[in-house]
Amino acid sequence: NIQGDNLIDTTSFDALGNTTNGQRNGYKLAVSLKEFQTAKEIINGICENFLIFLFKSGSKYKVATLEKKATADGTFTNPLKSNGVAQAYGWLGSLDSYYSDFKFTHFNEYAKNEYIHSMTCNANGSTSGLGTTYETLCKTANQQYKQGVRLFEREFPYIFNGMDSLPSTTTTMHSIAKLLITFYTRLRFFVDWYGDFKNHITYEIGDQVKINYSGAIPTGLNNSAFFLITDKQIESVNGIPTVRFTLMETFTV
């Protein structure tokens, strides 16, 4: 950003990166750059490794995470109707979107060109002190969806700690592993929502809302679960200016 900070939404970056209360407080990163990479490639790599997404909202760049906020940014209650039919549609993620076994490799050693640390978790056990909470999540996924072993395997080139002087449960890789296992061991609910300008235009990608509308939301999620806005489009429904959102159910670690 050659113009300085005027294109950066500093509030969203502070909420994520503050050293005392940020959502990624205490997380560490380091990487050996072995070949030329653009700034965008490096930023995308960091975001992927740390479960962050970067997006442009209005004229500014913001960051957000998938974890549930302490307080919702609002509540959606009245979708637009087309020919008397409410324009709100919910669906459950496909069976391809959950996993029951996990393997994470990190700390890429430049000289050897290989990852020297790994971490695993499944219904039968785990390494590096992940513990029974996360083993149980894997076991429940196996029992609930009955699709056999589904392995989630990922390399983390930007994460190096995990065998350092800190207790194992406080390292960056442990924190990321717990987020990923919690997120991927169950299917997520998604919603397409069409709203009027007056009550919906102020909401942006990255906001989290509750949805109080039983016509599209299961009873257990209605007016209780938080949904992350992942997409926002301005459209026209029967000639009426409309805000269309795609939303995804968040999670709590």
Side-chain angles (χ1 to χ4, degrees):
N1 176 17
I2 61 174
Q3 299 187 50
D5 292 343
N6 62 305
L7 296 184
I8 298 174
D9 183 275
T10 54
T11 299
S12 70
F13 278 82
D14 288 344
L16 188 145
N18 278 344
T19 57
T20 55
N21 61 354
Q23 290 175 287
R24 294 294 180 266
N25 168 39
Y27 288 43
K28 300 178 182 180
L29 66 88
V31 67
S32 298
L33 298 178
K34 294 170 284 189
E35 57 189 19
F36 176 80
Q37 289 182 276
T38 66
K40 184 176 181 179
E41 289 172 333
I42 294 172
I43 291 170
N44 287 342
I46 293 171
C47 289
E48 181 179 1
N49 274 207
F50 286 79
L51 303 186
I52 301 164
F53 65 98
L54 173 72
F55 55 95
K56 197 168 187 179
S57 177
S59 63
K60 295 192 175 185
Y61 288 94
K62 299 176 70 174
V63 286
T65 67
L66 300 179
E67 301 101 284
K68 183 178 180 179
K69 289 183 176 180
T71 305
D73 296 305
T75 302
F76 287 0
T77 57
N78 294 305
L80 284 178
K81 291 182 171 60
S82 178
N83 298 320
V85 179
Q87 301 300 288
Y89 311 96
W91 73 95
L92 195 62
S94 73
L95 285 172
D96 291 336
S97 62
Y98 92 93
Y99 297 88
S100 59
D101 284 41
F102 297 84
K103 181 178 180 180
F104 311 115
T105 52
H106 63 290
F107 199 154
N108 185 271
E109 189 171 87
Y110 175 77
K112 296 181 179 179
N113 192 29
E114 65 182 26
Y115 291 89
I116 61 176
H117 295 319
S118 66
M119 186 180 301
T120 62
C121 186
N122 56 51
N124 298 315
S126 59
T127 63
S128 308
L130 282 171
T132 57
T133 296
Y134 300 94
E135 296 163 15
T136 299
L137 290 175
C138 294
K139 182 177 180 180
T140 301
N142 267 329
Q143 294 174 338
Q144 183 171 1
Y145 302 120
K146 303 183 186 302
Q147 299 296 305
V149 173
R150 288 185 46 77
L151 175 64
F152 181 99
E153 190 169 7
R154 180 181 289 182
E155 297 173 345
F156 291 84
Y158 288 85
I159 296 177
F160 76 98
N161 72 333
M163 301 293 287
D164 53 21
S165 59
L166 293 172
S168 62
T169 53
T170 66
T171 63
T172 298
M173 192 65 248
H174 276 78
S175 299
I176 294 294
K178 291 173 181 177
L179 291 175
L180 283 168
I181 294 169
T182 303
F183 181 78
Y184 278 114
T185 46
R186 63 178 292 258
L187 301 182
R188 300 283 145 194
F189 197 77
F190 295 82
V191 178
D192 269 345
W193 181 278
Y194 293 75
D196 61 20
F197 257 50
K198 178 181 178 181
N199 295 302
H200 295 85
I201 191 62
T202 58
Y203 292 100
E204 297 290 348
I205 294 173
D207 288 344
Q208 293 187 20
V209 300
K210 294 194 294 183
I211 300 177
N212 187 8
Y213 186 73
S214 58
I217 308 300
T219 301
L221 302 178
N222 192 50
N223 202 30
S224 59
F226 284 22
F227 289 86
L228 174 74
I229 298 175
T230 61
D231 188 46
K232 175 185 178 181
Q233 300 292 330
I234 308 301
E235 299 182 356
S236 176
V237 175
N238 296 333
I240 300 173
T242 303
V243 188
R244 179 178 65 81
F245 298 101
T246 301
L247 306 104
M248 180 184 69
E249 179 191 356
T250 62
F251 70 104
T252 303
V253 180

